[in-house]
Amino acid sequence: MRKAFAKAMVKVASDPSLFFFTVDVGFMALEEVRDAFGDRFVNAGVAEQNLIGVSAGMAKEGYKVFSYSIAPFLYARPFEQIRNDICFSKLPVCLVGNGGGYAYGHMGPTHHALEDCAAMLALGVRVLVPAFDEDLAEIINDVTGPTYLRLGYDARPAGSLIPQYAPWRQVLDGQNGILVALGPLAGVAIAALSDCELEKRPAVWAVCELGEGAVPSEFWEKVSDVNLYLFEEHVAEGGLGMQLAYSFMKKGIQPARFHHRYALGYPSGTYGSQEFHRKQCGLDRESIKNLFLNKL
Amino acid sequence: MKNSFLNTFHNTKQRLFRLHFSANAGHVGGNLSCFDALMVLFHFIIFENDRFILSKGHSAGALYAALWSIGKLSDEELSTFCKDDSLLPAHPSGTGIPGLMFPTGSLGHGPSLSAGLALAAKKQKTGRKVYCLCSDGEWQEGSCWEALIFSVHHKLDNLTILIDQNRLQGFGTTEQVSSCGDLQPRLSSFGANVLSCDGHNHTQILDALKSPTEQPKIILLATVKGKSSLYENKMESHYLPLTQENFEFCMAQIQKEESP
């Protein structure tokens, strides 16, 4: 998805109010962004705390700033800078974290981002988790305040058609409940279920923005008394599932079933690819398919 | 220095004492060590277009008093210092007061924020200058050094960082706690243009601020924590508010300083 992100950035590079920082990452991905942005592209070196402070300073002077790194280096290390320098002043800085969830796979746990959405939401940062490559073009035009953009891999089968971007949208029809997937897991769900019979599979919703305000009224109307399946490559604490459960309580909505799968960390104490970790959490294609074909 | 400035300086210092005493606010020592530099900055150096960041946010009282002395804060506003429903907490909130751009209070943020402002000024060709006031203990924060590397690399000659070197921090001297040794060669070795001066000598401060530079400039201010109070060079000055006795001593000291 980082290449799609780079393409989308190149398209808007002529806007003189945009500024782009990386902290020495983006090899074989950001070269075109660098060339398109010219002197509004700066490699700030391996210094994430400084990156956030500098980004805040630039934003205060009128720039809309995109600050790019590997996700955990961006939201976890300079957490206080994000809080004090960006959020308290509500500055238009988009933190672009590459490698949401287990996307960095074999690179190991230091490179995984499992609690990023909760951490950023707690600060009042708008959290965007694109599901498909095409979503990026829409999303980057919509940065007006503190924003966290979590990039992963577009996992849908080649050739599958996706409806136009919306923060929440149904991307596959079905009659066996509703499956809500955070970001790229929507593509995994499509890959798992598109061959299943309509009556056996759930309708799949792709969630690309967290926070109750992003949920369309259509979803609240449909989910009552229906089996609900939630999939997110994020820890349960503060994630999509907990947020939805809280919203349901407030609104008096009760799904018939609330089945939640989420990032379990490292239950075996061993490490591997994104697929390996997804499998351990029941978030991979086969586990999703089995949930509907074998057990229901 | 002109007599008119000295009169303003002494009046403002008295106001600062009253401010802290009436609010029963601590951090008196760090406010008094940097007060001279703040007054010189706001009366002779910082113009409308320029930017200032108080990285050592615990010296907000001195900053508020300096802003009051140039008419940026009213006496009524100043009187809300550390009170309920105020825009003037003990560390700047960064909102509601023109010129206070960011919330500061956690150390080590100002140099990066200032570098961002300075880089923006370069890119936008505004010609504005950026000033940042740090404490000396603050340079135990790694983020300061990150900002310094960045500022030197980008040749931010429009950035001046002042370091209030009073050599006392929260729970000991800087030498005892985590010594930075001699800051001058360390800062110089990163490529900054480092100057030193007596942080209570207005002429020296002004000369250092005005001296030309082709690199980010750092001015080491040799200061006395708790200057003009009974807390001079004492640990108590970091946290404790002014007692009645100390307040009266401070006010008497001002009168002595005013006398020829």
Side-chain angles (χ1 to χ4, degrees), chain A residues 92-110:
Chain A
V93 177
C94 182
L95 306 168
V96 185
N98 192 42
Y102 296 108
Y104 268 98
H106 290 292
M107 293 297 114
T110 56

Side-chain angles (χ1 to χ4, degrees), chain A residues 19 21 39-40 42-44 47-50 53-54 56-58 60-63 77 80-81 84-85 88-89 91, chain B residues 51 93-95 101-103 106-109 111-113 115-117 119-121 123-124 128 142-143 146-147 150 154:
Chain A
F19 208 96
F21 285 108
D39 73 347
R40 286 178 289 112
V42 167
N43 182 346
E48 292 80 7
Q49 295 179 83
N50 183 60
V54 168
M58 298 289 286
K60 195 78 175 179
E61 299 292 16
Y63 285 108
R77 187 186 190 110
E80 188 188 65
Q81 276 81 4
N84 292 9
D85 302 349
F88 283 159
S89 302
L91 293 172
Chain B
R51 305 296 194 212
S93 69
T95 52
M101 302 187 76
F102 289 101
S106 177
L107 296 172
H109 287 240
S112 295
L113 292 167
L117 296 173
L119 182 63
K123 298 290 183 188
Q124 296 168 337
R128 72 171 51 111
S143 55
E146 289 184 8
F150 181 89
H154 290 279

Side-chain angles (χ1 to χ4, degrees), chain A residues 80-233:
Chain A
E80 188 188 65
Q81 276 81 4
I82 296 170
R83 173 182 181 265
N84 292 9
D85 302 349
I86 292 175
C87 293
F88 283 159
S89 302
K90 299 183 171 58
L91 293 172
V93 177
C94 182
L95 306 168
V96 185
N98 192 42
Y102 296 108
Y104 268 98
H106 290 292
M107 293 297 114
T110 56
H111 285 52
H112 299 158
L114 303 182
E115 66 296 290
D116 49 344
C117 299
M120 292 297 94
L121 283 169
L123 295 182
V125 174
R126 185 179 179 204
V127 174
L128 302 171
V129 190
F132 312 108
D133 285 346
E134 296 93 316
D135 297 348
L136 271 308
E138 295 279 344
I139 282 175
I140 63 164
N141 281 317
D142 193 23
V143 174
T144 53
T147 305
Y148 174 68
L149 174 55
R150 183 200 227 215
L151 301 181
Y153 291 105
D154 183 341
R156 81 187 128 156
S160 52
L161 294 174
I162 300 300
Q164 194 178 357
Y165 177 77
W168 282 59
R169 72 196 131 152
Q170 184 176 309
V171 293
L172 184 71
D173 57 355
Q175 297 172 353
N176 188 11
I178 293 176
L179 186 156
V180 170
L182 180 62
L185 282 179
V188 177
I190 293 171
L193 301 170
S194 54
D195 291 342
C196 300
E197 295 164 45
L198 199 63
E199 60 271 18
K200 282 191 175 177
R201 76 187 188 203
V204 175
W205 283 64
V207 174
C208 297
E209 180 167 355
L210 290 168
E212 193 177 290
V215 186
S217 54
E218 181 194 357
F219 177 78
W220 301 126
E221 288 157 14
K222 285 187 172 176
V223 75
S224 194
D225 293 325
V226 166
N227 286 345
L228 179 65
Y229 306 89
L230 280 156
F231 291 77
E232 56 181 319
E233 206 165 320

Side-chain angles (χ1 to χ4, degrees), chain B residues 124-143:
Chain B
Q124 296 168 337
K125 298 183 170 54
T126 58
R128 72 171 51 111
K129 295 189 173 179
V130 182
Y131 299 89
C132 175
L133 177 62
C134 296
S135 74
D136 51 354
E138 182 169 7
W139 283 78
Q140 290 159 7
E141 295 277 8
S143 55

